[in-house]
Amino acid sequence: MYDIVFVGGRVLDPETGHDGIADVALRDGRIAAVGCDLEPAAHLIPAHGLVVAPGFIDLHAHGQCLPADRMQAFDGVTTTLELEVGVWPVARWYDEQAHAGRVLNYGASTGWIFTRIAAMTAQQTESSLAGMGRAMADSRWTVDVATPAEMANILERVRNGLDQGGLGIGFPNAYAPGAGVKEISELCSLASSIGVPTFTHIAYMSNVDPQSSIDAYTRLIGLAGSTGAHMHICHFNSTSLQDVERAAELVANAQAQGLKVTVEAYPYGTGSTVIGAAFFGDPAFPERTGGGYDTIEHLTSGHRFLDRDDLVTAQAKDPGALVLWHFLDVAMNDRHRDLLDVSVLYPGGAIASDAVSWLLPDGSTYLGDHWPLPQDVISHPRSSGTFTRFLRKWVRERQAMSLLEGVRKCTLIPARLLEESAPAMRRKGRIQVGCDADIVCFDLDTLTDRADFRNPNRPSEGVRHLLVGGEPVIANGDLIREARPGRPVRRPLAQ
């Protein structure tokens, strides 16, 4: 007897191309059969008129806690990974997540930034965006070239993190623009030799030379060619700004030559990061990015900055505070909407949220158990609605691609990016016998994001059932509050 059978749903498997009515049977946390009349089962889930697909895999999620998991579950996510910034020490982070209990599957890369903080300043900080921001109080790790001894220390720490199961190297280069090319090339060679990807926030955020985004993309592609490393580009939309068309040409040419360069994007023209980011403090920020200081909005207060002095004062007061950056005006500007399309629709590119933490009014991270979330907690709406927004807007409404291809960008593409170094990912992103029972079942007609910048904590709608490892997290559209089925996604540990 099967544990659970989804009966009569529209089953999508992006690897085989299957798109048709079938039953899906689950047993012991895996998919046991796909076909017709797969009874008996301990529990039948009627799926007539619904889509049954692999759970979405988010390569870029900074929340990594219970409230963030729950909101992402309603966005169809079953695996949430912190790969751009990463964590360190890696083993301790995985132990902490297991002890806390997670709703979704979780994992992280080795956080180069945190090894740099430790090696160059001896600061103790937690592995989070806020922790990285607070460490900017001693800015040597952001602006200084590492000495030979420091570089050796950084490399050793990163190697240890990979040995402890880190999924790659998190490389947010823009937050440490002083890092030398020798250091970065050594780390890329390390990644290549071990066979893990790097997850890169490109070095420069500017549409003006020198140190433009095109400069950064050219250097990144050069690193892929010269070291053999897999260079995965995070948030292709926000780092390219208004030069995304040229950036896409460069990436496409690199891929045509066989270089390991991949991309991801989120379906918004607004980003979020710490206010202490070096690129905000650039005196030429308006000229270099095509937008004024009023495009930067303090997340908790809603304050739009008036000028550079206003911004620098806020940076000095709390460099770890989160801000919104409205880099494209997709609500009013047709040209900006076209630029966003370039990144979101990039062939073979993944959808990833860059979800950030949920914050209380005082700016501290909300880690409580209330559901629905308290009315006063806020975040970027991408923390609630990235995948449902993409499928609603680009697939259902605009029909810019088929549903199967849209689901592929949310499932198989991210799984394949990791499966060479993390074999467990070969069982995710697919609806096939033997694969993990990480499954989302949704109503395509009603699937939608509900979060916006005024109401970011409204969960998405349309996900009727969500299972992680065969255990229900959402049933008939309702959260199962006690569910904690999340399991680690990790490279095999070094022997």
Side-chain angles (χ1 to χ4, degrees):
M1 177 180 287
Y2 300 118
D3 298 330
I4 296 173
V5 173
F6 286 91
V7 180
R10 179 183 174 184
V11 177
L12 301 179
D13 177 48
E15 185 167 62
T16 63
H18 181 275
D19 180 355
I21 305 301
D23 299 346
V24 178
L26 315 179
R27 184 189 293 126
D28 297 331
R30 299 279 181 90
I31 296 173
V34 180
C36 298
D37 302 321
L38 299 180
E39 302 178 28
H43 183 53
L44 298 177
I45 299 178
H48 306 91
L50 303 177
V51 175
V52 179
F56 306 150
I57 299 167
D58 192 353
L59 297 170
H60 192 157
H62 299 299
Q64 298 299 318
C65 62
L66 177 66
D69 279 0
R70 286 172 166 175
M71 290 299 279
Q72 287 210 290
F74 281 90
D75 203 25
V77 175
T78 53
T79 299
T80 174
L81 306 173
E82 165 56 277
L83 300 180
E84 180 215 25
V85 172
V87 303
W88 195 86
V90 171
R92 184 175 72 189
W93 183 85
Y94 274 102
D95 288 345
E96 290 170 348
Q97 304 310 305
H99 178 74
R102 294 290 300 273
V103 176
L104 307 181
N105 300 318
Y106 56 90
S109 66
T110 300
W112 163 70
I113 280 290
F114 299 111
T115 70
R116 216 167 196 268
I117 292 168
M120 298 179 71
T121 72
Q123 294 181 91
Q124 298 294 316
T125 186
E126 76 272 15
S127 295
S128 69
L129 284 179
M132 181 182 71
R134 286 191 290 270
M136 291 173 180
D138 182 345
S139 64
R140 285 176 294 170
W141 67 271
T142 72
V143 298
D144 289 357
V145 173
T147 66
E150 288 170 338
M151 187 158 61
N153 191 325
I154 292 165
L155 282 163
E156 184 61 23
R157 291 173 189 265
V158 170
R159 185 186 297 275
N160 287 341
L162 294 172
D163 288 345
Q164 292 169 13
L167 294 171
I169 303 176
F171 239 145
N173 199 176
Y175 296 96
V181 174
K182 289 179 68 175
E183 175 185 340
I184 294 171
S185 70
E186 289 280 4
L187 287 159
C188 288
S189 291
L190 174 62
S192 178
S193 67
I194 295 176
V196 298
T198 70
F199 303 94
T200 61
H201 184 309
I202 63 169
Y204 311 126
M205 305 276 284
S206 168
N207 294 148
V208 180
D209 280 329
Q211 296 188 338
S212 66
S213 58
I214 298 304
D215 179 348
Y217 278 112
T218 302
R219 185 168 81 172
L220 183 147
I221 291 167
L223 286 165
S226 60
T227 69
H230 177 172
M231 310 298 288
H232 178 73
I233 299 165
C234 298
H235 39 47
F236 194 30
N237 46 329
S238 61
T239 52
S240 304
L241 302 175
Q242 296 177 38
D243 276 343
V244 66
E245 291 163 316
R246 178 57 178 160
E249 291 175 358
L250 296 176
V251 170
N253 286 336
Q255 292 173 332
Q257 296 174 59
L259 296 181
K260 296 179 182 178
V261 182
T262 53
V263 303
E264 65 177 55
Y266 53 82
Y268 298 87
T270 297
S272 184
T273 188
V274 291
I275 195 172
F279 45 84
F280 287 143
D282 186 335
F285 172 81
E287 296 79 14
R288 293 178 66 78
T289 63
Y293 290 99
D294 62 342
T295 63
I296 308 170
E297 177 183 356
H298 194 281
L299 182 57
T300 54
S301 71
H303 173 67
R304 296 272 191 146
F305 291 94
L306 305 175
D307 51 31
R308 185 172 184 272
D309 288 342
D310 189 19
L311 179 82
V312 170
T313 299
Q315 286 181 320
K317 181 179 179 181
D318 184 5
L322 287 176
V323 294
L324 301 171
W325 180 20
H326 305 281
F327 60 90
L328 292 177
D329 182 4
V330 296
M332 301 298 294
N333 190 312
D334 289 342
R335 172 62 177 159
H336 285 192
R337 284 193 286 269
D338 290 342
L339 293 177
L340 183 60
D341 274 358
V342 173
S343 57
V344 171
L345 299 175
Y346 186 86
I351 299 298
S353 73
D354 198 2
V356 291
S357 299
W358 291 91
L359 301 183
L360 292 162
D362 64 2
S364 61
T365 301
Y366 175 70
L367 297 172
D369 188 32
H370 290 89
W371 185 260
L373 293 185
Q375 286 297 311
D376 59 351
V377 300
I378 59 173
S379 186
H380 190 301
R382 68 191 183 194
S383 305
S384 308
T386 289
F387 296 90
T388 47
R389 178 181 179 85
F390 166 67
L391 292 175
R392 171 186 64 82
K393 189 170 183 178
W394 276 266
V395 174
R396 188 181 74 220
E397 296 178 354
R398 293 179 51 193
Q399 298 183 2
M401 63 178 61
S402 69
L403 177 60
L404 187 64
E405 181 59 23
V407 167
R408 181 172 177 264
K409 290 173 76 70
C410 304
T411 58
L412 184 65
I413 288 173
R416 282 180 167 169
L417 191 147
L418 286 164
E419 63 189 27
E420 181 179 346
S421 59
M425 294 303 293
R426 296 172 188 161
R427 300 193 305 270
K428 299 188 185 298
R430 302 150 168 97
I431 299 289
Q432 297 174 26
V433 173
C435 289
D436 293 341
D438 298 337
I439 293 176
V440 60
C441 177
F442 59 87
D443 182 344
L444 181 61
D445 292 335
T446 63
L447 189 72
T448 187
D449 56 311
R450 298 174 60 243
D452 56 32
F453 291 103
R454 291 183 179 273
N455 304 282
N457 60 358
R458 296 191 302 197
S460 294
E461 292 182 343
V463 171
R464 297 287 297 279
H465 302 276
L466 187 107
L467 281 70
V468 175
E471 183 176 334
V473 170
I474 296 172
N476 295 312
D478 295 323
L479 178 74
I480 301 175
R481 289 191 52 169
E482 65 274 16
R484 301 290 189 278
R487 295 293 179 265
V489 177
R490 197 169 183 173
R491 291 182 61 246
L493 301 182
Q495 299 299 315

